[in-house]
Amino acid sequence: MNRWRAQTRAELVMTLRRGESVLLTLGIPVGLLVFFSLVDVLPKPAGVTDAVTFLAPGILALAVMSTAMVSLGIATGFERQYGVLKRLYSTPLGRPALLAAKISALVLLEVIQVGVLVAAGLLLGWRPHGNPVLAALAALLATIGFAGIALLMAGTLRAEVTLAAANGLYILLLLLGGMVFPLDKLPGPLRRRAGAVRRRAG
């Protein structure tokens, strides 16, 4: 238990010390939320007059994706390439405890993200509604799915390829996932393609 706690703390501290990870997990989501809530340039879905009302839930989803897929995938990919994972496997920590520590650090980081983004959204005038339990469950399922993609890439691709693939998928989902741009406001071909992907995912 002490080893798991120590490794969880180490994973979280290392993530928060990497400037690119902080930018990806906190800087970009908070920046997008604040900028596009204050500067009314993005299209909004029909019936929505306040930008932050549309943006806040999508930015929260974006934050989960950036942490569970991009940050985890890139960090794990380079740890694998540099032999860090192999060395950690051979220590008393072991593979199960290492995986548990990575997952625990991931969840703690997401809690920090949600706290910061919800606070920013409330300051911008967001009034959340809906069932918080269902929202937490959706975030958990999204975390599992994106973390699975991250570990698959990190375990099968070179670190540099994982870096490019994770960032490419991040940008693609940012643009076509309905998190920042409403699907019904996309250009015709993109709207049809995004709608088809969404229907298959559902």
Side-chain angles (χ1 to χ4, degrees):
M1 184 64 71
N2 289 335
R3 294 168 185 159
W4 162 70
R5 287 178 181 171
Q7 186 62 28
T8 299
R9 182 178 181 278
E11 294 280 347
L12 185 60
V13 169
M14 285 189 295
T15 300
L16 293 175
R17 282 181 177 174
R18 289 194 296 264
E20 68 277 10
S21 294
V22 175
L23 176 65
L24 184 67
T25 58
L26 287 173
I28 292 176
V30 172
L32 288 174
L33 178 62
V34 173
F35 180 80
F36 287 117
S37 294
L38 297 177
V39 180
D40 192 14
V41 294
L42 287 180
K44 296 182 286 291
V48 176
T49 58
D50 193 4
V52 71
T53 300
F54 166 67
L55 281 171
I59 295 296
L60 285 168
L62 182 71
V64 171
M65 182 175 68
S66 66
T67 301
M69 184 181 71
V70 185
S71 183
L72 177 64
I74 293 171
T76 306
F78 279 100
E79 287 174 354
R80 173 175 170 256
Q81 180 166 305
Y82 294 144
V84 175
L85 293 181
K86 187 178 292 186
R87 293 186 181 93
L88 287 173
Y89 289 162
S90 62
T91 67
L93 179 68
R95 191 171 296 188
L98 176 60
L99 184 60
K102 281 188 171 293
I103 293 171
S104 300
L106 178 67
V107 171
L108 288 172
L109 186 57
E110 288 185 353
V111 169
I112 294 171
Q113 283 181 299
V114 169
V116 171
L117 287 169
V118 167
L122 292 175
L123 288 173
L124 291 166
W126 181 41
R127 296 296 175 263
H129 58 276
N131 190 324
V133 176
L134 291 179
L137 179 60
L140 176 61
L141 293 175
T143 299
I144 293 170
F146 285 126
I149 295 172
L151 295 177
L152 176 63
M153 290 190 294
T156 57
L157 304 174
R158 288 182 55 83
E160 295 83 1
V161 179
T162 298
L163 173 65
N167 280 308
L169 189 56
Y170 175 82
I171 293 172
L172 182 66
L173 292 175
L174 169 65
L175 296 175
L176 302 180
M179 289 179 275
V180 175
F181 301 96
L183 294 182
D184 60 356
K185 301 296 183 181
L186 293 173
L190 289 179
R191 182 174 64 249
R192 289 190 292 272
R193 184 61 183 163
V197 171
R198 190 174 186 178
R199 285 192 296 273
R200 283 200 293 269

